């Protein structure tokens, strides 16, 4: 941490006068590098370096936040002074004199990734328009009357379109891959690109009606992100309210929100209020078992580390992180056989949920029709839709034997705040879900 | 580090071919729910530079000093050479020199909007979240051609969310809004009421074909969906024709009253994009203008200092030579649907000339409402929809999408429904 946490603590602690009040200083330093690629060449480079700091105070009914776009002692002092004035408290004295220069940052891994990407794209997707982004996000939290914490996350994304061969001519396909920057990432990206570029038949239009579907290759994580994670972020509004410990689905259905999975895009060690992150079991043997929480002034219920902010200028909100579904024992062949006739879906490009109405939608770019347990036609873009509670009941027991990280899921926007999320899920079979073609 | 040092750095790297942008903003945001209140004061500063060396590069940072570091880092990667931009030139201007004053807190209107919504919806909808933000910004842009311009902006914007319930049915919705200064609570309450109560009807569409009346918010979403066509981002063979949209409407972009310059220093001006049924002009920033061999139109938009300018509309709207009062349009509907609010984003496939609108609204017969329609879909050929604009109302309203998009009630002569 560039700033002295004990000094910041001395400034912020007087604001939290008792159990009924909380306060913290939140500091973020962010570096971002983006390379725009077209057909094997970097056509544009974009660099970003941002610093921001906020001081926050909250009681049971009220919150105040002051944000400045600097991350030094003077900025912290300014933010705390403004907060104190807003609360009618005695402000800190104004300090004269310069702040020490922040420490040097590690070099960016640009050239390493540029060479890797040049090789990967040339091999698997030579005609493309892609954006590769590398982000380093350093967050420090100094809560009043609690230990300070600091963490660094390095995340990368590759998104865009490429031209793929299909048996009836070329087609443009979308591609998205989000991952922490780690040792296995390059190999995972290679595998994902190769799979995305596999030649396919030209798609037929999706029909309309009800179908059975297997959500494969991890994309079931998007389903649970919409119908479980979002539903538990906003207590009181969703159909899951008041159903604690109710059986929602099959007994082998186990889902947890796990921010400690640092190998997934949505992982973190400390939440944005300074609480240590921990996994929370949301479905245990098919029963609703937990919920996501943050600090609540005056409450005796502890936070389970799910307070998240899009940036230092935002108030923290309870948000999900990584949705992890425990795998079962079924092989892919068994899943196909049990599906019989229906759809096999390996990509979900977006989802939405109406919590009050209890409904959800998932949009997929393509699917495979399965007839009598065998893969048949390719189908074009479509929409799955349903109601939240019946959807849980429609998930058949006997999940796939391997949970796949779903790297295409990277960001979630709720209330205008965009945070990194991800998930890992086995193949799962859902019965009688509505489907229609999407333009 | 002062801005002059950054300018010197840019000039050393890209003589005569750079721009430097600074934005400072102050905002106060009030967020309210039934049992909670929050207030956030934000003071932001952002710097951005673009330069050509001979690749186009971009860097952004929250201070001049870290911008200089980002500029050096951007050059660590070899990039393919590109075309230099024709940056606008000009004379030096006055540096406003000051960051914006912290604006006054926005009005606390949660209780009043709650009451209006309850009255308008006859108790079926309630407000569960309202955030209002008052923003003031100062922007300054300089480039190697001697341009040095600055401008200020101020506005109110926010998000209102609610829940509607009728029996066992419920739905939620959020509406973004933007006002120049005075809150327009009555129209916001009406829009929320439609979004939160019409989907609770137990009726689907009673007809398969008929006329379609689009509420201004729906017309605006339709217009926003045409933006890729207006910027040239998506090719559509049908747009080369002379009659792909009704001659009753023109499409214009004119942000002159909002700011004198775009995010690249090109003067704002009125651009007629579509007139007499045909595409007349496209929106251009410096990059697309250079590629097309045309003059920039003042549409290099910076939604944030963090991203380089890109071509986009700034204040896009339908314009009509003659417009009827909204009630006249309504009473002229023999048999059709009034699409009061979209229930999903408008889906336009410009390359394949297809559209799909999912909406909630009211069934109309002989100009009279026949009951709510919880959910309906209209889909078909986009050019059929656009050519079928048979009437335009005088109630043009602007909606943040995110740039202001203005549209009136539109009467479509025929559409099919599911």
């Amino acid at each position: 941490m560039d700033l002295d946490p004990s000094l910041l603590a001395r400034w912020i602690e007087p604001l939290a006068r008792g159990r009924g009040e909380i306060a913290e200083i939140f500091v973020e330093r962010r570096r971002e590098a983006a390379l725009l690629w077209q057909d094997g060449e970097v056509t544009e480079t974009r660099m970003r370096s941002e610093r921001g700091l906020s001081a926050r105070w909250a009681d049971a009914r009220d919150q105040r936040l002051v944000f400045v776009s600097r991350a030094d002692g003077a900025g912290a002092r300014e933010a705390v002074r403004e907060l104190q004035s807003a609360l009618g408290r005695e402000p800190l004295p104004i300090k004269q004199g310069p702040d020490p220069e922040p420490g040097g940052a590690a070099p960016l891994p640009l050239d390493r990734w540029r060479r890797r990407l040049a090789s990967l794209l040339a091999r698997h997707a030579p005609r493309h328009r892609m954006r590769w982004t590398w982000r380093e996000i350093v967050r420090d939290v100094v809560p009043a009357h609690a230990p300070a914490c600091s963490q660094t996350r390095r995340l990368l994304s590759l998104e865009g379109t490429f031209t793929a061969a299909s048996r009836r001519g070329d087609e443009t396909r979308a591609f998205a891959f989000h991952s922490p920057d780690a040792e296995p990432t390059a190999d995972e990206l290679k595998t994902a690109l190769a799979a995305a570029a596999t030649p396919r038949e030209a798609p037929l239009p999706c029909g309309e009606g009800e179908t059975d579907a297997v959500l494969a290759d991890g994309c079931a994580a998007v389903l649970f992100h919409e119908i479980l994670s979002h539903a538990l972020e906003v207590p009181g509004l969703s159909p899951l309210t008041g159903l604690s410990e109710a059986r929602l689905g099959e007994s082998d259905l186990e889902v947890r929100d796990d921010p400690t999975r640092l190998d997934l895009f949505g992982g973190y060690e400390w939440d944005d209020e300074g609480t240590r992150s921990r996994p929370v079991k949301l479905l245990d043997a098919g029963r609703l078992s937990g919920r996501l929480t943050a600090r609540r002034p005056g409450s005796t219920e502890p936070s389970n580390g799910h307070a998240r902010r899009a940036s230092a200028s935002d108030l923290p909100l309870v948000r999900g992180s990584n949705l992890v579904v425990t795998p079962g024992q079924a092989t892919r062949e068994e899943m196909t056989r049990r599906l019989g006739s229906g759809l096999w879906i390996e990509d979900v490009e977006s989802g939405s949920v109406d919590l009050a109405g209890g409904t959800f939608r998932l949009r997929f770019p393509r699917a495979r029709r399965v007839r009598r347990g065998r893969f048949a036609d390719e189908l074009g873009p479509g929409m799955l839709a349903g109601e939240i509670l019946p959807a849980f009941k429609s998930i058949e027991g006997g999940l796939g034997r391997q949970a796949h990280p779903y790297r295409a899921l990277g960001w979630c926007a709720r209330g205008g705040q965009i945070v990194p999320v991800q998930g890992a899920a086995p193949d799962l079979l859902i019965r009688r879900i509505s489907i229609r073609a999407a333009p | 580090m002062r801005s002059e040092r950054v300018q010197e750095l840019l000039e050393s790297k890209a003589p005569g071919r750079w721009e430097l942008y600074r934005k400072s903003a102050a905002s106060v945001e009030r967020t309210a729910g039934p049992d909670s209140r929050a207030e956030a004061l934000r003071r932001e500063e952002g710097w951005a530079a673009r330069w050509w060396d001979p690749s186009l590069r971009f860097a952004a940072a929250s201070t001049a000093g870290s911008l200089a570091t980002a500029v050096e880092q951007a050059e660590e990667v070899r990039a393919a050479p590109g075309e230099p931009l024709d940056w606008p030139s000009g004379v030096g201007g006055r540096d406003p020199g000051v960051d914006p004053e912290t604006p006054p807190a926005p009005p606390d209107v949660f209780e009043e909007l709650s009451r209006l919504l309850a009255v308008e919806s006859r108790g079926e909808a309630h407000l569960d979240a309202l955030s209002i933000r008052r923003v003031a910004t100062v922007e300054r842009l300089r480039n190697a051609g001697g341009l040095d311009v600055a401008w200020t902006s101020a506005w109110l914007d926010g998000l209102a969310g609610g829940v509607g319930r009728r029996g066992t049915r419920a739905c939620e919705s959020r509406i973004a809004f933007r006002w120049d200064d005075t809150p327009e609570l009555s129209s916001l309450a009406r829009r929320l009421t439609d979004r939160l109560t019409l989907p609770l009807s137990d009726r689907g569409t009673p007809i398969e074909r008929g006329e379609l009346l689009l509420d201004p918010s729906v017309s605006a979403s339709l217009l926003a969906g045409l933006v890729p066509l207006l910027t040239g981002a998506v090719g559509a063979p049908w747009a080369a024709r002379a009659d792909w949209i009704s001659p009753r409407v023109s499409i214009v972009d004119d942000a002159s009253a909002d700011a004198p310059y775009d995010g690249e220093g090109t003067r704002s001006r009125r651009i007629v994009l579509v007139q007499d049924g045909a595409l007349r002009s496209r929106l251009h920033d410096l990059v697309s203008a250079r590629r097309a061999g045309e003059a920039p139109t003042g549409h290099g938009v910076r939604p944030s200092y963090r991203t380089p300018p890109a071509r986009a509309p700034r204040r896009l709207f339908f314009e009509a030579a003659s417009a009827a009062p909204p009630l006249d349009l309504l009473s002229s509907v023999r048999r059709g649907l009034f699409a009061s609010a979209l229930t999903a984003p408008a889906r336009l496939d410009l390359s394949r000339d297809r559209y799909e609108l999912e909406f909630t609204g009211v069934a109309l017969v002989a100009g009279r409402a026949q009951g709510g329609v919880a959910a309906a879909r209209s889909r078909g050929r986009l050019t059929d929809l656009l050519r079928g604009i048979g009437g335009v109302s005088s109630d043009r309203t602007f909606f943040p999408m995110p740039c202001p998009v203005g549209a009136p009630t539109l009467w479509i002569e025929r559409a099919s429904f599911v």
Side-chain angles (χ1 to χ4, degrees):
Chain A
M1 200 183 294
D2 286 346
L3 299 170
D4 179 355
S6 59
L7 181 64
L8 298 184
R10 283 206 300 278
W11 292 348
I12 200 71
E13 278 172 2
L15 284 173
R17 292 181 294 196
R19 280 189 74 93
E21 296 182 342
I22 61 176
E24 82 256 325
I25 291 175
F26 179 91
V27 187
E28 181 181 77
R29 295 177 298 287
R30 184 186 283 253
R31 296 194 296 165
E32 193 170 299
L35 304 181
L36 275 62
W37 289 82
Q38 185 171 344
D39 299 342
E41 287 191 314
V42 173
T43 55
E44 204 176 314
T45 59
R46 298 178 184 177
M47 294 293 145
R48 199 171 118 194
S49 170
E50 243 180 283
R51 286 167 182 254
L53 178 154
S54 58
R56 182 179 76 115
W57 168 92
D59 70 10
R61 272 189 58 96
D62 199 1
Q63 278 193 88
R64 303 293 177 103
L65 178 130
V66 176
F67 168 80
V68 293
S69 53
R70 48 193 305 185
D72 55 11
R77 187 178 280 268
E78 180 188 340
V80 172
R81 281 176 53 82
E82 285 278 2
L83 191 58
Q84 288 166 328
S85 297
L87 296 171
R89 314 270 178 95
E90 185 70 29
L92 290 173
I94 298 174
K95 179 195 165 199
Q96 305 298 331
D99 279 294
E101 286 293 317
L108 300 170
L110 298 184
D111 206 51
R112 166 167 62 93
W113 273 105
R114 186 193 59 75
R115 283 183 276 110
R116 275 179 183 162
L117 285 167
S119 157
L120 281 174
L121 291 170
R123 179 147 182 216
H124 299 289
R127 287 178 292 163
H128 54 264
R129 293 181 84 100
M130 297 271 197
R131 178 166 70 190
W132 173 87
T133 310
W134 183 90
R135 299 172 181 87
E136 178 187 80
I137 304 164
V138 182
R139 292 186 163 185
D140 309 322
V141 186
V142 181
H145 313 299
C149 61
S150 182
Q151 65 182 322
T152 301
R153 290 285 280 159
R154 295 185 179 91
L155 306 174
L156 66 84
S157 302
L158 182 66
E159 300 169 276
T161 58
F162 67 98
T163 303
S166 80
R167 296 201 179 95
R168 294 193 187 175
D170 292 346
E171 61 179 18
T172 301
R173 294 182 193 166
F175 180 78
F177 179 92
H178 307 280
S179 172
D181 185 6
E183 193 63 38
T185 303
D187 283 339
E188 267 203 70
L189 177 56
K190 182 170 74 175
T191 305
L193 257 179
T198 307
R200 296 174 186 159
E201 294 287 347
L204 301 173
C206 268
E208 199 158 315
E210 255 190 11
T211 186
D212 298 337
V214 167
L215 300 178
D217 278 5
C219 73
V222 183
L223 171 68
F224 287 106
H225 173 83
E226 297 297 339
I227 68 175
L228 191 56
S229 185
H230 279 313
L232 295 176
E233 285 171 351
V234 191
L237 190 63
S238 84
L240 303 186
T241 303
L243 294 181
S244 178
E245 302 196 29
R247 178 178 290 288
L248 300 185
E250 292 288 334
S251 60
D252 57 352
L253 199 52
E254 289 215 346
V255 183
R256 65 187 188 278
D257 185 286
D258 193 351
T260 66
R261 286 284 301 268
L262 301 184
D263 60 311
L264 296 176
F265 201 67
Y268 52 87
E269 294 171 275
W270 303 87
D271 80 355
D272 294 332
E273 288 178 326
T275 306
R276 185 55 109 166
S277 68
R278 57 184 177 86
V280 176
K281 208 170 248 189
L282 303 179
L283 280 185
D284 185 2
R287 290 184 184 278
L288 192 61
S289 71
R291 62 191 192 94
L292 308 177
T293 61
R295 296 180 71 194
R296 278 178 56 205
S299 168
T300 53
E301 183 187 14
S303 162
N304 58 27
H306 281 80
R308 305 188 68 191
R309 308 176 197 230
S311 72
S313 64
D314 295 302
L315 290 163
L317 296 175
V318 171
R319 302 290 295 272
S321 61
N322 297 315
L323 248 289
V324 180
V325 184
T326 303
Q329 302 294 328
T331 62
R332 191 153 271 202
E333 292 71 30
E334 188 186 326
M335 298 294 293
T336 323
R337 183 174 43 76
R338 279 166 43 207
L339 172 62
S341 294
L343 297 188
W344 187 276
I345 298 173
E346 292 173 349
D347 286 302
V348 170
E349 64 185 20
S350 65
S352 64
V353 66
D354 176 345
L355 292 176
T359 59
F360 70 93
R361 295 180 185 206
L362 301 177
R363 186 181 165 96
F364 57 88
R366 61 197 307 147
R368 290 290 297 274
R369 198 191 317 265
V370 174
R371 286 203 186 92
R372 292 190 290 275
R374 291 176 184 276
F375 286 104
D377 325 272
E378 288 272 347
L379 301 177
M383 194 92 73
L384 298 177
E387 294 181 33
I388 293 175
L389 289 177
F392 283 110
K393 291 185 168 39
S394 299
I395 297 171
E396 196 171 271
L399 308 184
R401 65 168 37 162
Q402 188 181 354
H404 307 273
Y406 190 57
R407 297 293 186 195
L409 172 62
W411 303 98
C412 173
R414 181 166 76 82
Q417 282 209 41
I418 301 173
V419 296
V421 296
Q422 204 155 68
D427 300 346
L428 71 75
L429 173 55
I430 184 165
R431 300 280 186 196
R432 297 176 311 280
I433 190 163
S434 294
I435 181 179
R436 63 178 176 85
Chain B
M1 179 184 286
R2 292 170 58 86
S3 62
E4 289 75 17
R5 292 273 306 276
V6 182
Q7 277 179 226
E8 287 165 13
L9 174 66
L10 290 170
E11 182 67 22
S12 72
K13 290 187 177 298
R17 301 204 186 272
W18 54 265
E19 76 186 10
L20 179 62
Y21 170 83
R22 178 181 183 263
K23 181 176 184 179
S24 53
S27 66
V28 181
E29 180 175 12
R30 271 207 171 120
T31 306
D35 301 310
S36 64
R37 294 288 187 272
E39 191 169 299
L41 164 64
R42 300 180 177 100
R43 291 209 193 86
E44 298 181 83
E45 179 182 334
W47 293 78
R50 274 195 309 177
W51 66 106
W52 180 84
D53 72 349
S55 310
L56 189 60
R57 300 189 189 270
F58 174 81
S62 40
T63 65
S66 35
L67 179 64
T69 306
V71 165
E72 299 284 8
Q73 287 173 332
E75 299 214 320
E76 288 176 13
V77 176
R78 204 172 56 243
E83 295 273 350
L85 301 182
D86 296 320
W87 269 295
S89 58
V91 297
R94 185 181 63 85
D95 178 2
V98 292
D99 292 328
E101 296 274 338
T102 302
D108 185 356
V109 295
F110 183 88
E111 300 299 337
E112 191 182 344
L113 183 60
S114 250
R115 186 187 58 76
L116 285 171
L117 180 59
V119 166
E120 190 76 30
S121 69
R122 299 179 191 175
E124 289 187 331
H126 73 265
L127 187 66
D128 76 349
L130 175 66
S131 76
I132 302 185
R133 186 178 64 146
R134 201 189 293 275
V135 185
T137 66
V138 176
E139 297 172 81
R140 184 181 181 188
L141 182 73
R142 281 165 280 178
N143 68 24
L147 185 80
D148 187 350
V149 294
W151 61 96
T152 61
S153 304
W155 68 88
L156 270 177
D157 65 13
L159 202 61
V163 176
R165 292 190 197 282
R166 184 187 298 164
T168 56
R169 291 200 178 88
C171 72
E172 62 173 340
S173 190
R174 302 251 175 276
I175 290 181
F177 56 86
R178 179 166 164 150
W179 303 318
D180 287 327
D181 189 45
T182 311
E184 296 162 21
L185 297 183
S186 298
S187 70
L188 182 57
R190 273 195 301 275
R191 284 176 61 202
L192 271 173
T193 297
D194 282 351
R195 291 273 190 103
L196 296 174
T197 61
L198 288 172
L200 303 177
S201 162
D202 54 8
R203 297 177 60 189
T205 172
I207 55 174
E208 288 183 358
R209 278 182 197 77
E211 296 148 84
L212 178 59
L213 210 56
L214 303 182
D215 179 88
S217 63
V218 180
S219 307
S221 293
L222 177 64
L223 179 54
L226 295 176
V227 164
L229 186 72
L230 305 174
T231 60
V234 169
W238 50 265
R241 298 198 319 244
D243 63 347
W244 58 268
I245 187 171
S246 165
R248 291 174 190 268
V249 290
S250 302
I251 299 177
V252 177
D253 188 290
D254 187 357
S256 327
D258 300 320
Y261 304 95
D262 74 353
E264 297 175 314
T266 306
R267 274 251 177 225
S268 304
R269 59 189 173 95
R270 174 184 161 91
I271 306 286
V272 177
L273 297 160
V274 173
Q275 194 171 47
D276 297 325
L279 192 63
R280 302 293 173 197
S281 184
R282 286 209 155 99
L283 302 175
H284 281 301
D285 61 0
L286 294 180
V287 170
S288 67
R290 175 84 190 199
R291 285 196 192 127
E294 296 176 17
T297 58
H299 290 88
V301 174
R302 288 184 202 253
S304 161
Y305 75 88
R306 299 171 179 89
T307 53
R311 60 186 167 170
R314 294 173 61 202
R315 182 175 280 269
L316 187 69
F317 50 94
F318 279 123
E319 203 171 61
S322 69
L327 284 178
D328 285 6
L329 273 194
L330 175 67
S331 59
S332 68
V333 174
R334 289 186 302 273
R335 186 176 159 83
L337 298 184
F338 172 54
S340 169
L342 291 178
T343 52
R347 281 186 281 277
L348 273 57
D349 186 337
L350 297 174
S351 53
R352 289 172 46 223
D353 189 13
R354 305 292 301 177
Y355 81 94
E356 183 174 287
L357 299 176
E358 284 188 51
F359 57 90
T360 186
V362 178
L364 298 170
V365 172
R368 290 178 181 274
Q370 301 297 307
V373 173
R377 252 186 292 143
S378 174
R379 59 185 179 195
R381 279 200 180 287
L382 177 59
T383 45
D384 287 346
L385 184 77
L386 296 172
R387 277 199 296 257
I389 297 173
V392 183
S393 167
S394 55
D395 59 351
R396 188 173 70 196
T397 311
F398 281 87
F399 303 89
M401 291 196 170
C403 85
V405 175
T409 303
L410 292 178
W411 172 57
I412 313 290
E413 289 166 342
R414 66 196 149 272
S416 55
F417 310 113
V418 176

